[in-house]
Amino acid sequence: MGTDATPPADAPPKLSVVVPCYNEALGLDALDRRLNAACAARFGGDYEIVMVNDGSKDATWEGIRRLAAANPRIVGVDLSRNHGHQLAVTAGLQMARGELVLIIDADLQDPPEVLGAMVDRIEEGYDVAYGQRIARKGESVFKRGTASLFYKLLGKLADHEIPLDTGDFRLMTRRVVDQLNAMPERFRFIRGMVSWIGFAQVAVPYERDARFAGETGYPLHKMIRLGIDAITSFSTLPLRLASLLGMVMGVFGMVLLIWAISVYFAHGTVAGWTSTVAVVLIMGSVQLLILGVFGDYIGRLYLENKRRPLFIVREVCGGTPPPPPSAAARD
């Protein structure tokens, strides 16, 4: 699949690499060096790198513009604000023109050198070669533990199988990317969406490195939000559990009511105000929990029905990109 010739400017490249960037100014040069080396080793000059600046607060966009000015294979995409990692990836996928598309984060935790092994699997006939972590360097015990718990929980709740210990680091064929771009939902969990699409998919084991520079763009609250998006996007089980819990508590309440009536007629009074208040608080909390679950799903319907664009592009620089996809994807 390698080539030494640079294709015509209007021809789609063999490979597009989508790189979402948020506050990654310190690591851009190392990313540029390693990523270009990995792409050139397999594709010669027949590739492009789409770097998406997701509303960074540091000099990330200035760095992307500098790299794009020095290398015509780099396309810089500047979003109007911080739309979030999943929508930044979506913006890059909308811009990518390659026959194959690689998604990789800018922090170099996912080694670009794994690209060669992924291409080997694609050449065997697979449509998706996804990175599967067998080790996580530089991560705390808490991060590894919560990640493991999340993937196991998601595997139990999701309506279809989502591979364990995988992120968005993956190589996909054009037909998979086209299907992914045609999916209009706002609350996107891309690794789950790719699994839902189907086709032949295979794992490529690798060791995840420590972050090269800067701080993570996924603090705990964003990880929780992503987890909620993942579960509610690919499972209605929380709704069924909420209904089941409501029925169980309803039966429990009826039993307590019968007990209270029998004690009243037997003794003339009902003792135990503390336990009564405790029961009321427990049942009230359960009801609020159930309302919260239903509210999250209803809120998603409300936001999806607004039909706003998924993202807005402020500026595109470098390369030979097509026009921006009209402030992104409408359904």
Side-chain angles (χ1 to χ4, degrees):
M1 192 170 283
T3 177
D4 293 328
T6 301
D10 58 346
K14 289 288 186 182
L15 173 72
S16 293
V17 183
V18 173
V19 189
C21 304
Y22 179 70
N23 292 346
E24 299 289 355
L26 296 177
L28 282 180
D29 289 333
L31 170 70
D32 175 64
R33 182 176 62 256
R34 289 178 58 183
L35 191 52
N36 274 284
C39 293
R42 198 60 188 254
F43 295 90
D46 199 2
Y47 67 91
E48 67 176 1
I49 299 174
V50 182
M51 294 186 174
V52 182
N53 178 45
D54 186 26
S56 297
K57 298 178 181 179
D58 62 2
T60 296
W61 178 237
E62 289 76 8
I64 292 174
R65 294 186 66 178
R66 171 175 54 82
L67 294 175
N71 185 351
R73 296 184 182 89
I74 294 180
V75 179
V77 180
D78 187 29
L79 301 185
S80 62
R81 61 174 177 82
N82 178 246
H83 289 271
H85 179 271
Q86 299 294 284
L87 292 183
V89 172
T90 300
L93 292 173
Q94 291 281 339
M95 298 292 296
R97 301 177 298 135
E99 298 174 15
L100 299 176
V101 178
L102 173 72
I103 302 174
I104 186 171
D105 287 342
D107 55 17
L108 291 175
Q109 287 188 281
D110 301 326
E113 295 77 13
V114 179
L115 171 63
M118 290 181 169
V119 174
D120 289 340
R121 305 314 302 269
I122 294 293
E123 290 180 341
E124 293 173 5
Y126 292 96
D127 286 284
V128 178
Y130 56 86
Q132 190 165 47
R133 304 154 185 157
I134 58 175
R136 293 168 171 261
K137 301 177 182 177
E139 294 185 356
S140 65
V141 175
F142 176 78
K143 178 66 179 292
R144 293 195 299 269
T146 53
S148 175
L149 179 62
F150 164 70
Y151 284 114
K152 290 178 180 178
L153 179 62
L154 182 61
K156 296 291 185 181
L157 295 179
D159 295 330
H160 66 281
E161 183 179 358
I162 298 176
L164 296 175
D165 295 318
T166 60
D168 295 323
F169 183 38
R170 61 194 60 226
L171 181 67
M172 302 174 288
T173 60
R174 170 48 56 182
R175 66 174 176 173
V176 174
V177 175
D178 287 343
Q179 293 298 324
L180 193 57
N181 286 338
M183 299 170 74
E185 56 257 47
R186 169 174 302 279
F187 298 94
R188 304 175 79 83
F189 184 63
I190 289 175
R191 69 202 73 168
M193 295 167 71
V194 174
S195 297
W196 181 90
I197 289 172
F199 297 116
Q201 306 194 19
V202 65
V204 177
Y206 75 101
E207 292 188 5
R208 196 176 199 214
D209 294 331
R211 165 176 273 273
F212 178 80
E215 298 180 355
T216 178
Y218 259 116
L220 181 60
H221 72 277
K222 286 188 176 182
M223 291 298 299
I224 294 174
R225 182 70 255 178
L226 180 64
I228 294 174
D229 286 345
I231 292 171
T232 54
S233 294
F234 291 94
S235 177
T236 57
L237 185 59
L239 289 173
R240 296 195 294 270
L241 290 177
S243 299
L244 178 62
L245 184 59
M247 288 187 290
V248 170
M249 295 306 296
V251 171
F252 180 59
M254 289 297 298
V255 171
L256 285 179
L257 178 61
I258 294 172
W259 171 80
I261 294 174
S262 63
V263 170
Y264 176 80
F265 283 107
H267 305 288
T269 184
V270 178
W273 284 105
T274 301
S275 59
T276 302
V277 171
V279 169
V280 170
L281 290 175
I282 291 173
M283 295 188 68
S285 299
V286 170
Q287 290 172 343
L288 290 175
L289 174 63
I290 294 172
L291 286 174
V293 171
F294 278 88
D296 197 62
Y297 280 91
I298 293 172
R300 288 169 177 273
L301 292 174
Y302 168 73
L303 292 174
E304 293 284 0
N305 285 332
K306 285 179 176 290
R307 303 170 69 89
R308 291 176 179 171
L310 299 182
F311 57 85
I312 298 175
V313 175
R314 187 204 311 269
E315 181 182 350
V316 178
C317 69
T320 54
S326 68
R330 295 181 185 269
D331 56 353

